[in-house]
Structure formats: structure tokens, C-alpha cells
Amino acid sequence: MPDLAGWLRAGLAMLCVVAAIGESFVVQALPWALGVVLLELLATGRDSRGRLAVLVTETGVVVAAVLSTFPDHRSLLPLLLVPAFRAGELHGVRAGLLTSGVLALAPLTAWLNAPNPEDVSVGLQWSALALAIAVLGAWGSGFERDRHSGAAAAREAGELLGRLQDLAKELPAGFDVPAVSEMLVDEVLRAAPAHRAAVLVRIGPDEMSPVVVRGVDRVPWRDPVTAPGTAHRAWIGARTVKDVRRADVEGRRRGSAMLVVPVADRDDEVLGLLVLERLAPRQFSIEEVASVERAVAVAAPRLHAALAFVELRIMSEVAERERLAREMHDGVAQDLVAVGFGLDMVQRQLKARDPEMASQVQEVRGQLNHTLRDIRYSIAALRTSVRPERGLGAALSSAAQALGPATGASVSFSLKESPFRLPAHVESALLRLAQDFFADVRSAGTVSRVHVVLETDAPTARLELGHDGPHAWAPDPAFATALADLGGSVAHRQVDGVWTSTLSVGTTFGERPSTPDGAAESTGTNLVTEVSP
């Protein structure tokens, strides 16, 4: 069956029959009108080539109808609109303009046979209307395609998410990046024994994160993205690289063997690296390299899916937080600002006539200012999140800067980061714990000094949160559980009236991650800032 536009074109064709009644021309007009309606019905469900053939045929029929009846009869001139509308809707503006130009030749040619100024005017009017209808059809078609493309994309997304849910149940580790990486390392170490192993994944434009590290408590190699070396060659060349350093040569890796295999998706884009190292100059054999490459090839699609799932989840969380922040800023915050302006006006008017009442209004204004500060801090907290392009250090720095104005406390922030970023789930967990600490500081109301210290040496981290409030911070049980699931711990102490809570991930509290023999020292970021209210 024709769509709405098809029925509209058929209606235009039958309108000619109604117009022909006034000219006593119904019998002659009816076959032409029915011919156009039949072509509209024949075009239903055809492909683009079939629709183009119908358009050409319909244009020829309309030109023949106008040439054979105009200017003696004008009732068939509305037929000019039908192919013009069809051309614009189905084939675009250019096809609509071309078809309208061809159609305009019909009344012009007919008029040349019997020139009459009035006929010229009528023919030009209908030709111009056909041109306008063609443009309108093209515009409406574009709007409809956009609408349907959005709906189709939503349906496809729903189907994909449903399929994704089914696949997650079938995969051994689901879409958990650490679990998939742990399984890969276990299989690889069985095929090619090594003293140290790690899976490094790309977490930002130029940043890597160690998802799994074995045989050492920190990443002992240079950053493969920026620092030259074996891992860098594998990253840049997207190929397996191995080398051996004899014990009698100089360098941090003397007396060791290393194998680096890139983990790539189906488009050969490198997602990360699998790194193996032996603390002896015994090269990885051809058979071992082949086994490792096979294991990586099998695990790569699962790791790709897991990373994509994490990115999708982060995108949805960020979008929701941005939406809430925007609604709070444009809604309740703006309304309270307007109320504050009104209170200021009332207070100024009462100042001379009723000072006591003006003082009470001023107190209400102070309470309103405090509420506005809380709302602005909540908006800032919603907009503070860990993203691929924004790590934990940047997120905590923004949160610390917003805490001072919100509480009136003096806030100091110290940051020391290694070249490698923490895994995304670790960064998110530590940020949630820090935000819970900041909420506790705000609710205390008596805190004058706050200090935050973050040291990361991926995959280990130490986050120190301190304040001079009356009691120690007790983390939300859900956040504390998340920290425990990461193998982390939290310890509290009080020195000179300052409560300090230290969160450790990947290492025991108080124990600084050691530098393995022959490893590169951390060359990360050091930042100390003071934030005053």
C-alpha cells in the first residue's frame, strides 16, 4: 500500500477529475488521472531503480496529458505537482528541480501553439507551484529520514544491548576487564613461563593502564606510548617484539628476556599490550611465541568487548550526571538566586522602617546563601568524574577546589602520579570514597583544615584524606566494600587534632611500592596546591 505521501499524490491526481467537472471534461480527464494513480500504486514497495522508472513514466504521462489538453482545458494542470512531488521526496532536491523544469516545458510548448497572455500566466503559476512542491517534498523527506534513522538507531541499540546481555552470560569472565586479563595471563604463563607478566590497556588518548600485573607490585617497564624500548616498538609497529639483554651489558634490563605482544581488535587497532619478562637471558622460543600469540588472538575479542562495555557505561554515567547538574543549575539554583534578589529588595526597604524585621530577613538571606553554596557544590560534584581523557588526579583536584568555597575550610591537595594510570574501576572507586569523605566534611560544619594526598604508582595507589574535625571519617559501607573487593584497606589515625584516613590499593598500608631490580624509576606528575575559601 502507498504511504501517506503516495496517497496525497493520488489525491492530487483525482483532484483534476473534480476540476474537470466545471469544464465538462470529466470523460477525457479521467483516464489521465487514473493512469497517474495506477503508477503511484505500482511504485509501492519497489527499489530505487524501480521508483526511478516509475518517475520517468509518470513524468511522460503528465507531459503528454498537458500537451494534449492545454490551453483548451486547464483541469489537468494539477498533475504537474505529482511527479514533481515524487521526484523531490524520493530522489532529492536536484531531481525535483530537474523534473519540475521538464514539466514546465509542457504548458510552455502548448501555449506556443495558441499564444494567450492569460494562458501564459496560468502555466507559469502551475510550473512555479510544481517547483515549490518538489523542494517541499525533498525537505519533508529529509526530516522523515532523520526521524526514522533515530528510531532505527534506537531499535538497533536495544537489540544490541539485549544480545550483549545474552553474550555476557555465555562468556567465562563476562565483560569484566580484569577477569578477562587474568585469564589471559594464566593461559600465557602456562604456555611461556616468565617471572613477570602484565596486561596494559589503553585508557586514554596517550595513556596506558596496567589491568593485571604478576611477579611485581608495580609496572617495572617504561611507558610504551612515549618512552623508547621494547614495549614502545611493539606499540608503534603493532607487532610482536622480543629481545634478550646479556648479563654483561649495561642498562636496567641486563640479564633478562622480554616478549611483548600487541592486543588488537578486528580492525587491527591496538587495544593494549601483553608483556612477559624473564629475569634470565633465556630467549622465548618460536613455539612459545606462537602459543602466546594464539592465546592473545583468542582473548582479544573478549577484551575488546569488555573495554567497549566499560566505555559505554562511563559514557552513560557521565551523561546522566551532566543532565542532573544541568537541571539543578537551570532549575532550583536559578530559582533560589531569584528568591535571594527578592529578599535583598525587601531587606533594603525594611532597613529604615523596621530594622528588627530587616535583620530577620538578613538571617534568612544568610541561610539561603548557605543552601546555594551546597547546591553549587553538588553541581560541581556531579560534573566531577573519571573519564578516559580525565584521570583520578584531575578529578580529585577539581573536587578539592570546589570544597573550599563550599565549606569555608582551607584545603591542600598534593598529587604524585606515575606515567601509568590506574585501572578505570580503581579510579572510580577511589573517587567515590573521596567524594564520600568530602560530604562528611561538609556535614561536620566545624572543619577548618583539609588535606588530600594522592600517590599513584600503577597498579598501586595511596590516598590520604585528613581534616581537623571532631571525629574520624567513616566511609559509606558500600564504598568500603568496593575498596575491600579491590584488595584495598583503610586506616585511621589522629595526630595533633587532625584525623587522617589513608586508603591503600595494591599494597599494605604504610608500605611504599618498591622498585624492582633493573626497573625504571617513576617519572610521573608532582603537584601541590592550596585552596582557600
Side-chain angles (χ1 to χ4, degrees):
M1 293 293 291
D3 56 6
L4 180 60
W7 285 117
L8 179 59
R9 290 191 294 270
L12 285 173
M14 296 310 298
L15 180 65
C16 297
V17 179
V18 177
I21 296 176
E23 296 181 328
S24 301
F25 191 65
V26 176
V27 176
Q28 294 85 346
L30 186 60
W32 296 110
L34 291 178
V36 173
V37 172
L38 180 61
L39 287 171
E40 288 292 330
L41 294 175
L42 289 175
T44 303
R46 293 183 179 270
D47 57 12
S48 58
R49 184 175 299 180
R51 291 196 300 267
L52 181 60
V54 171
L55 173 63
V56 173
T57 304
E58 193 174 63
T59 302
V61 170
V62 171
V63 168
V66 175
L67 284 175
S68 63
T69 60
F70 183 77
D72 296 331
H73 299 280
R74 303 176 179 178
S75 55
L76 292 184
L77 287 175
L79 288 179
L80 296 171
L81 308 182
V82 178
F85 190 14
R86 167 174 283 279
E89 181 200 15
L90 300 179
H91 303 283
V93 176
R94 292 184 178 180
L97 296 178
L98 178 61
T99 304
S100 301
V102 173
L103 294 169
L105 295 176
L108 179 61
T109 304
W111 170 77
L112 290 175
N113 296 327
N116 185 327
E118 185 179 353
D119 293 335
V120 173
S121 176
V122 172
L124 290 176
Q125 289 174 6
W126 281 102
S127 298
L129 185 57
L131 179 63
I133 286 292
V135 175
L136 180 64
W139 176 81
S141 175
F143 178 79
E144 190 69 12
R145 279 195 298 270
D146 291 342
R147 187 174 67 85
H148 283 296
S149 64
R155 285 195 298 271
E156 184 178 0
E159 293 172 359
L160 289 175
L161 288 174
R163 179 62 178 153
L164 195 66
Q165 187 176 14
D166 295 336
L167 289 173
K169 298 176 182 178
E170 298 175 8
L171 294 174
F175 292 130
D176 185 70
V177 175
V180 173
S181 302
E182 289 278 3
M183 293 178 62
L184 172 61
V185 171
D186 288 338
E187 185 174 357
V188 164
L189 289 178
R190 285 194 296 268
H195 296 91
R196 296 169 179 167
V199 174
L200 311 176
V201 299
R202 185 175 61 186
I203 197 173
D206 297 310
E207 294 177 297
M208 299 287 285
S209 173
V211 181
V212 175
V213 176
R214 296 282 185 86
V216 65
D217 59 0
R218 57 173 288 192
V219 179
W221 311 290
R222 293 173 174 173
D223 179 10
V225 177
T226 58
T230 306
H232 182 68
R233 295 200 303 273
W235 175 261
I236 296 299
R239 60 185 177 84
T240 300
V241 177
K242 63 177 182 176
D243 73 348
V244 177
R245 305 289 176 86
R246 300 193 311 271
D248 57 351
V249 301
E250 294 297 326
R252 63 172 62 88
R253 282 196 45 243
R254 61 183 179 273
S256 67
M258 192 169 179
L259 173 66
V260 185
V261 181
V263 183
D265 60 14
R266 61 182 181 183
D267 296 325
D268 293 330
E269 181 181 358
V270 179
L271 306 172
L273 299 172
L274 170 73
V275 185
L276 299 178
E277 184 180 20
R278 288 171 174 166
L279 301 182
R282 183 169 64 87
Q283 182 171 306
F284 289 88
S285 67
I286 297 176
E287 293 77 13
E288 288 176 330
V289 173
S291 299
V292 171
E293 289 180 335
R294 283 195 298 269
V296 170
V298 172
R302 287 184 288 170
L303 186 60
H304 183 207
L307 291 171
F309 182 75
V310 170
E311 184 176 359
L312 181 64
R313 185 176 59 192
I314 291 175
M315 287 173 58
S316 63
E317 290 177 355
V318 170
E320 179 64 13
R321 293 170 71 92
E322 288 286 351
R323 183 188 67 81
L324 290 173
R326 185 170 57 253
E327 289 183 356
M328 290 177 64
H329 179 272
D330 297 339
V332 63
Q334 297 290 355
D335 293 341
L336 289 179
V337 168
V339 171
F341 289 153
L343 288 175
D344 291 339
M345 293 178 60
V346 172
Q347 194 265 342
R348 284 195 297 269
Q349 293 174 1
L350 291 174
K351 196 170 184 179
R353 293 183 296 176
D354 193 341
E356 184 177 353
M357 181 64 70
S359 176
Q360 294 177 2
V361 172
Q362 185 63 29
E363 292 179 4
V364 175
R365 179 59 160 129
Q367 295 174 358
L368 182 63
N369 289 341
H370 180 73
T371 302
L372 275 172
R373 283 196 300 269
D374 287 345
I375 291 175
R376 290 192 179 104
Y377 178 81
S378 299
I379 292 173
L382 284 171
R383 288 174 173 167
T384 300
S385 59
V386 174
R387 312 178 189 185
E389 71 281 2
R390 178 186 174 91
L392 177 61
L396 276 180
S397 177
S398 297
Q401 290 178 8
L403 182 65
T407 60
S410 175
V411 182
S412 67
F413 177 73
S414 176
L415 171 65
K416 184 178 181 181
E417 290 183 309
S418 68
F420 293 93
R421 275 182 62 175
L422 295 169
H425 63 290
V426 176
E427 289 189 335
S428 297
L430 290 178
L431 179 60
R432 287 196 299 267
L433 284 160
Q435 289 175 332
D436 185 66
F437 167 79
F438 295 152
D440 185 72
V441 169
R442 290 174 56 214
S443 63
T446 57
V447 175
S448 61
R449 288 181 297 156
V450 176
H451 74 268
V452 179
V453 178
L454 173 64
E455 295 184 19
T456 65
D457 201 353
T460 65
R462 185 176 72 90
L463 176 61
E464 186 176 292
L465 306 169
H467 65 82
D468 60 353
H471 56 80
W473 163 63
D476 184 279
F479 299 156
T481 301
L483 179 65
D485 292 340
L486 296 174
S489 61
V490 58
H492 307 281
R493 70 180 190 277
Q494 186 181 28
V495 179
D496 297 331
V498 176
W499 284 100
T500 301
S501 302
T502 303
L503 288 66
S504 302
V505 177
T507 184
T508 306
F509 167 65
E511 175 188 333
R512 185 74 180 97
S514 60
T515 302
D517 294 336
E521 290 293 339
S522 174
T523 56
T525 303
N526 291 274
L527 172 67
V528 179
T529 59
E530 294 284 343
V531 182
S532 299

